[in-house]
Amino acid sequence: METSPSQSYLNSHTSPKWTGGFMSWFMSTDHKRIGVMYAVAMFSFFFVAVLLGFVMKLQKMYPASSGWEIIPVELYGSFFTLHAIIMIFLFIVPGAPAVLGNFFLPLQIGAKDVAFPRVNLLSFWLYLLGAIMAVVGILLGGADTGWTFTPPYSINTKTISIFGVVFDSISWMLTAAFILGWGTILTGINFIVTIHRMRAKGMGYFKMPLFTWSIYATSWLQVLATPVVGITLLMIVIERIMPVGFFDPSKGGDPILFQHLFWIYSHPAVYIMILPSMGLVSEIIPTNSQKPIFGYKSIAIASCSIAGVGYLLWAHHMFTTGMSDFAAILFSFLTFFVAIPTAIKTFNWTATLYKGSITLTPAMLFALAFIFNFSIGGLTGMFLGSLSTDIHLHDTAFVVAHFHYTMFGGAAFGLIGGVFHYFPKMFGKMYSMKWAKAAFAFMFIGFNALYFPMLVLGYYGMPRRYHTYPDMPIFNDLQMASTLGSWILVTGVIMVFGVWIHALIKGKQTTEINPWNSSTLEWQTATPPTLFNFEEDVEITRDPYDYEAFRGEVKAGTSAGAKNV
Amino acid sequence: MSDITHPIEHHRDDEGTRLGFWLFLYTELFLFAAFFLVYSVYRSSHLEDFKLAAESLNTGIGTVNTIILLTSSLTMVLSLDALKKGSVKLAKTLLLVTFALGMAFLVIKGFEWSAKFEHHLFLQTAKGIAAGHGSPLLTPGSEMLPVGQVLFFGLYFIMTGTHALHIIIGAIWMLIVFFWMSKGSVNQDNHGVLERCGLYWHLVDVIWIFLFPLYYLVA
Amino acid sequence: MTTHEQSLSPRTPIMVFGALIILTIATVLLSGLDVGNTGALLIAMSVASIKAALVLYFFMHLNHEPLIFKLFLGVAFFTLLAIFVLTFSDYSFRVI
């Protein structure tokens, strides 16, 4: 096939050696192809983890005393560990930056690629290597430590050999997590340098779209937090295979210190997960309201202050571990500060809707659901951040529900909404609006039916990570409701995938440049984008969400708008 | 098929590359920071054990190694300056000197380590733990070291070991740059690789600057 | 080519190296003083910080880099500081 820079990235290649087929993707340093590859890998893992969660919910349908057992108790421990490892390390931590950040960050700032394209490909390979190692670890013994790998259990537990070979699958999977960590670190470095060095002419820092801002804040967290957990997980490996003491109390270690080091990363990690989705919501809402986002600067600064404050409150995961009262009070106090920038964003999004001409595209529906779910997730987080209520709610289903309201109802809904938003630009194909909206309805209803009862269950004392529960009416009814919700939710997830796959194979071909009539730069290039993104060097003169100026440009013919507006 | 070169590759941004490399150095720094945090927490809770254990380390050897590493940093700086001035030969010689000093550091470290092994400071803890004597609740008098010293030597071996690993990576990198300088692909105009290799080497030096007093001096 | 001008005379590096050696010897000698645990730690860490700053500023050429490099160093430094201070907000107040 003849290949030239003015062709769609789907048909032209950066590598002179590999001009077609699998290798032209696998060896490609094109940020758009790398983004698509991440999407394929990540959503596949996501689906596997959804199925694991589905089985766990099925197990909880009836109490054990009724004789109901889908999976034995030992396997349940492996299931929630694997569910979490896949969801966190393979799906939501790389998340929106890896897929949509890779694809759209250079487009949003008018760059031809990221700063270090080959390092970008290396990140993807590291991700893939880590993912394959994790899967191999799962197949050869798995782990039942929980994704937190808390010692001394994670140090002392023996792994079972499956094929007659003794295989330390826990050390293996910790190493996999370490490698995955380097993948995200390199992506973070790449994005920071790209944003600092490669903005188009005229694009000052406060002319960048908000998704770019959120990626910037995320990247800093990736760079400054990930190494800490990387080495901490390796310390567990070292302690498993060598006679040294770090965290094992029998060797003088302090297991709480592990938790400090673990949460020094893993608390900022929840902002790594949520910030990019907040950025996506900040793109979707002004586009589908056709008016400037309310409080642009405050959202941009809020992204950075969430990242900054988010680094300082990790120990609110540890109120019940036996750390000092002083630290508990301090961390509880600091925790409330992160609510401020988060609330600023939420108010700004709702204020943007006011008097907007709102179009309920599938992306918009997911963005609105994000606000709803994330408000519940965020406010329940305040319960857990207060010392006295946390004593009661710690390690109950309440925590699980809170976490899923932020990470699934928030981060994952935002990511899925973002993919719906950008799908036509990425692939030049249009999906079925009707089915996409139906899929949304199933996901939204199923999600709330699954997790809201868990908030109540947790309040009534249902512990997390338990295989079953006592036969009591309040537990039975709520667990049943939650399980039924999981069926609706899984149907919704399958429908979302169905809509995407159908669109890729049989969807209507489109070259419409700006289908949603958006004012930001990434919509001003060809659909799908050409190899080097922009035919000519771009120059920015107006604010990213200045819809008045944008409408003028469309009228004057200097910018592309939607045909049917 | 036409030949498309990547736009980024013929637009060289030295400053951007350096900025990215500094960010990478911060990740290395944070990696060691986790070790230092563990060290400082256990030092504060097992002060006497840490002091006793640290006395078995030889301050003289530690000082010599510090001076070796500082000297290697100097030769690295001079090597880069020589390359910038265009004297490739001098730059290559100075890079080899840096490499040799790195090796000298490793050899001395090796002797120090094997002396520790001979005194069973590492293996004794292993034996003790294997025999179940590790618990702080058990009475002393067994051959087992006190837990504070187990922690100290564990941290000592792993932290200096990780540092030595970085020395090895830096040394291998120097050899590669040396080879490229001989080939001419790293030269007066294109000295970025040597510069980054140098930055890495200096960071390894900075980490040692903190390791040295914590293990050899504050006893 | 990079735009920043820097003198390539070996004078500055050698002077910095001299200072580093003197500080190394000084910290070894000072460790013999009986100033208690906190005092010894304070002296050793102060000297080490000065040495590290010299290496960062002169050997790693931060003195010739633009402002953004120094800001990044500041971000990294304050994050490190926060990790240590907040962790010790637990360990300094433990009641066991």
Side-chain angles (χ1 to χ4, degrees):
Chain A
M1 187 185 292
E2 184 64 24
T3 177
S4 86
S6 56
Q7 266 185 349
S8 147
Y9 80 99
L10 293 165
N11 297 322
S12 48
H13 322 287
T14 48
S15 156
K17 227 192 206 152
W18 314 99
T19 53
F22 174 76
M23 288 309 266
S24 75
W25 284 80
F26 191 67
M27 303 298 287
S28 173
T29 55
D30 179 9
H31 65 101
K32 299 181 284 297
R33 287 195 168 204
I34 292 172
V36 172
M37 287 193 287
Y38 266 117
V40 173
M42 277 169 41
F43 280 111
S44 312
F45 287 122
F46 171 70
F47 192 65
V48 173
V50 165
L51 293 182
L52 287 170
F54 175 76
V55 176
M56 285 193 285
K57 279 278 101 174
L58 209 57
Q59 164 63 29
K60 293 266 187 77
M61 195 152 89
Y62 297 108
S65 53
S66 66
W68 179 260
E69 189 176 79
I70 298 289
I71 43 172
V73 59
E74 309 82 39
L75 210 52
Y76 191 83
S78 299
F79 265 51
F80 69 66
T81 305
L82 303 182
H83 172 79
I85 288 177
I86 295 175
M87 280 296 191
I88 291 169
F89 292 121
L90 302 187
F91 175 64
I92 203 76
V93 163
V99 179
L100 297 172
N102 256 321
F103 202 109
F104 286 103
L105 173 71
L107 286 167
Q108 282 199 324
I109 62 172
K112 289 191 163 76
D113 204 319
V114 292
F116 312 112
R118 280 177 294 190
V119 175
N120 202 18
L121 182 61
L122 177 66
S123 298
F124 177 69
W125 286 349
L126 287 174
Y127 168 78
L128 220 53
L129 175 67
I132 290 169
M133 279 182 71
V135 171
V136 169
I138 289 167
L139 295 177
L140 297 178
D144 61 351
T145 56
W147 77 283
T148 48
F149 295 107
T150 313
Y153 182 67
S154 62
I155 293 168
N156 298 328
T157 181
K158 301 277 178 284
T159 40
I160 22 156
S161 56
I162 281 199
F163 303 116
V165 221
V166 181
F167 182 73
D168 189 356
S169 57
I170 293 182
S171 299
W172 180 260
M173 284 165 89
L174 287 162
T175 315
F178 179 77
I179 292 171
L180 287 167
W182 280 103
T184 56
I185 289 172
L186 293 179
T187 304
I189 293 177
N190 223 333
F191 287 173
I192 294 176
V193 177
T194 307
I195 291 169
H196 275 290
R197 304 289 304 173
M198 298 181 71
R199 280 166 292 124
K201 208 172 156 203
M203 182 169 276
Y205 288 107
F206 283 110
K207 283 201 165 47
M208 299 194 304
L210 287 167
F211 180 57
T212 300
W213 266 103
S214 70
I215 293 282
Y216 184 67
T218 309
S219 299
W220 269 108
L221 286 177
Q222 285 173 335
V223 170
L224 293 186
T226 320
V228 178
V229 82
I231 202 65
T232 308
L233 296 181
L234 278 195
M235 280 192 236
I236 296 275
V237 176
I238 292 167
E239 208 167 345
R240 280 182 71 85
I241 60 182
M242 280 189 233
V244 292
F246 288 129
F247 307 120
D248 187 346
S250 68
K251 297 170 201 165
D254 178 4
I256 299 176
L257 182 58
F258 170 86
Q259 296 204 23
H260 273 297
L261 288 163
F262 182 83
W263 290 114
I264 283 174
Y265 164 75
S266 297
H267 191 69
V270 306
Y271 301 106
I272 292 176
M273 303 172 202
I274 196 70
L275 276 169
S277 288
M278 288 174 157
L280 288 169
V281 170
S282 311
E283 297 295 335
I284 295 169
I285 285 183
T287 299
N288 290 294
S289 308
Q290 289 294 306
K291 63 183 277 244
I293 190 149
F294 186 85
Y296 165 82
K297 267 192 191 175
S298 62
I299 294 188
I301 293 167
S303 286
C304 295
S305 43
I306 287 176
V309 179
Y311 208 106
L312 310 177
L313 32 90
W314 70 82
H316 67 207
H317 294 263
M318 301 161 54
F319 288 156
T320 61
T321 56
M323 68 173 184
S324 75
D325 290 348
F326 177 80
I329 292 164
L330 180 66
F331 277 102
S332 174
F333 178 73
L334 289 171
T335 299
F336 285 91
F337 276 101
V338 87
I340 298 168
T342 316
I344 287 175
K345 285 191 168 195
T346 312
F347 289 131
N348 284 348
W349 292 324
T350 41
T352 308
L353 296 172
Y354 179 68
K355 284 191 172 171
S357 44
I358 293 170
T359 324
L360 287 180
T361 60
M364 185 64 165
L365 291 170
F366 274 100
L368 295 174
F370 173 99
I371 300 178
F372 178 84
N373 293 337
F374 189 73
S375 298
I376 296 180
L379 290 170
T380 49
M382 294 291 96
F383 296 22
L384 296 168
S386 328
L387 286 170
S388 48
T389 42
D390 185 64
I391 302 292
H392 177 66
L393 296 170
H394 186 80
D395 270 351
T396 66
F398 189 92
V399 178
V400 180
H402 153 74
F403 184 73
H404 282 84
Y405 261 106
T406 54
M407 289 303 122
F408 191 173
F413 268 57
L415 173 58
I416 292 171
V419 173
F420 272 117
H421 190 57
Y422 285 118
F423 195 93
K425 175 61 75 185
M426 288 171 85
F427 301 108
K429 296 279 180 79
M430 199 40 132
Y431 47 82
S432 153
M433 287 287 180
K434 203 175 68 188
W435 279 97
K437 286 177 187 173
F440 165 76
F442 272 88
M443 273 193 74
F444 183 68
I445 295 167
F447 175 83
N448 279 289
L450 165 56
Y451 291 107
F452 201 83
M454 286 179 74
L455 287 172
V456 186
L457 276 168
Y459 177 75
Y460 280 107
M462 175 72 212
R464 70 189 292 193
R465 292 180 172 178
Y466 271 33
H467 168 248
T468 187
Y469 49 93
D471 188 1
M472 279 158 59
I474 181 83
F475 281 178
N476 296 353
D477 296 347
L478 288 168
Q479 292 283 12
M480 175 60 88
S482 181
T483 305
L484 292 177
S486 76
W487 298 356
I488 305 171
L489 178 60
V490 170
T491 312
V493 171
I494 292 172
M495 283 167 77
V496 166
F497 286 140
V499 169
W500 289 348
I501 292 167
H502 179 266
L504 284 177
I505 298 169
K506 290 196 158 168
K508 199 171 76 173
Q509 198 86 32
T510 173
T511 52
E512 199 178 344
I513 283 181
N514 196 352
W516 319 118
N517 208 40
S518 177
S519 64
T520 39
L521 182 60
E522 74 271 27
W523 295 100
Q524 294 301 326
T525 182
T527 296
T530 53
L531 185 57
F532 300 143
N533 299 343
F534 298 95
E535 295 289 295
E536 296 143 21
D537 285 342
V538 272
E539 193 176 343
I540 311 299
T541 48
R542 61 165 166 82
D543 288 335
Y545 303 101
D546 188 346
Y547 271 88
E548 201 136 326
F550 170 66
R551 279 189 282 269
E553 287 165 20
V554 174
K555 220 171 256 168
T558 51
S559 279
K563 284 173 190 142
N564 51 357
V565 172
Chain B
M1 192 204 81
S2 61
D3 216 17
I4 305 170
T5 42
H6 207 278
I8 309 298
E9 272 150 30
H10 52 82
H11 161 78
R12 202 175 87 197
D13 179 10
D14 284 338
E15 192 179 316
T17 312
R18 276 208 309 282
L19 193 65
F21 196 74
W22 271 91
L23 285 169
F24 169 74
L25 293 183
Y26 294 141
T27 67
E28 290 277 1
L29 197 65
F30 273 68
L31 198 135
F32 274 97
F35 279 133
F36 279 110
L37 188 62
V38 174
Y39 172 93
S40 43
V41 165
Y42 290 150
R43 186 176 192 277
S44 72
S45 57
H46 297 87
L47 189 57
E48 287 313 309
D49 278 341
F50 265 53
K51 283 185 169 176
L52 276 175
E55 268 167 25
S56 72
L57 297 180
N58 188 326
T59 312
I61 292 183
T63 314
V64 169
N65 252 349
T66 308
I67 290 172
I68 287 178
L69 219 48
L70 289 172
T71 316
S72 77
S73 259
L74 174 71
T75 53
M76 186 54 123
V77 173
L78 295 177
S79 168
L80 179 62
D81 284 355
L83 187 64
K84 280 180 183 168
K85 271 190 283 193
S87 36
V88 181
K89 205 169 166 216
L90 180 62
K92 278 167 70 181
T93 315
L94 284 165
L95 191 64
L96 270 193
V97 174
T98 314
F99 175 82
L101 287 166
M103 288 300 113
F105 177 90
L106 282 181
V107 168
I108 295 176
K109 195 87 233 161
F111 278 121
E112 202 186 359
W113 269 40
S114 51
K116 290 283 163 304
F117 278 124
E118 261 164 43
H119 290 98
H120 304 294
L121 282 172
F122 194 58
L123 293 175
Q124 193 178 23
T125 62
K127 262 193 298 190
I129 288 161
H133 291 300
S135 168
L137 301 171
L138 287 176
T139 46
S142 58
E143 283 183 33
M144 177 62 190
L145 285 170
V147 282
Q149 297 197 29
V150 175
L151 289 172
F152 180 89
F153 285 111
L155 281 166
Y156 167 75
F157 280 110
I158 298 302
M159 284 173 84
T160 53
T162 313
H163 181 261
L165 187 69
H166 281 75
I167 297 261
I168 293 169
I169 294 169
I172 292 173
W173 194 354
M174 279 181 224
L175 287 185
I176 294 171
V177 176
F178 183 83
F179 175 71
W180 283 342
M181 274 158 81
S182 308
K183 255 183 37 183
S185 58
V186 173
N187 48 43
Q188 184 175 14
D189 177 52
N190 185 19
H191 57 256
V193 190
L194 181 63
E195 195 167 30
R196 290 192 288 280
C197 181
L199 285 172
Y200 185 83
W201 192 252
H202 297 314
L203 183 89
V204 174
D205 196 6
V206 166
I207 290 163
W208 181 260
I209 285 176
F210 284 97
L211 279 176
F212 167 63
L214 287 177
Y215 280 106
Y216 295 87
L217 295 185
V218 215
Chain C
M1 271 312 297
T2 45
T3 48
H4 58 259
E5 290 294 318
Q6 58 187 73
S7 110
L8 296 175
S9 102
R11 223 182 122 219
T12 322
I14 288 173
M15 274 169 64
V16 172
F17 172 72
L20 287 169
I21 297 296
I22 292 170
L23 283 169
T24 305
I25 293 165
T27 190
V28 174
L29 294 177
L30 284 171
S31 73
L33 292 180
D34 187 17
V35 283
N37 172 45
T38 324
L41 199 63
L42 209 65
I43 291 172
M45 287 297 101
S46 312
V47 175
S49 305
I50 297 169
K51 282 164 73 183
L54 285 175
V55 173
L56 283 166
Y57 198 70
F58 292 105
F59 282 3
M60 295 171 85
H61 293 307
L62 262 185
N63 52 348
H64 294 299
E65 297 288 10
L67 178 67
I68 192 80
F69 284 70
K70 289 158 198 166
L71 290 178
F72 278 21
L73 179 69
V75 171
F77 175 75
F78 278 103
T79 316
L80 268 182
L81 196 68
I83 294 177
F84 275 80
V85 169
L86 286 172
T87 306
F88 273 90
S89 81
D90 175 8
Y91 284 96
S92 311
F93 296 93
R94 279 276 179 93
V95 189
I96 304 176

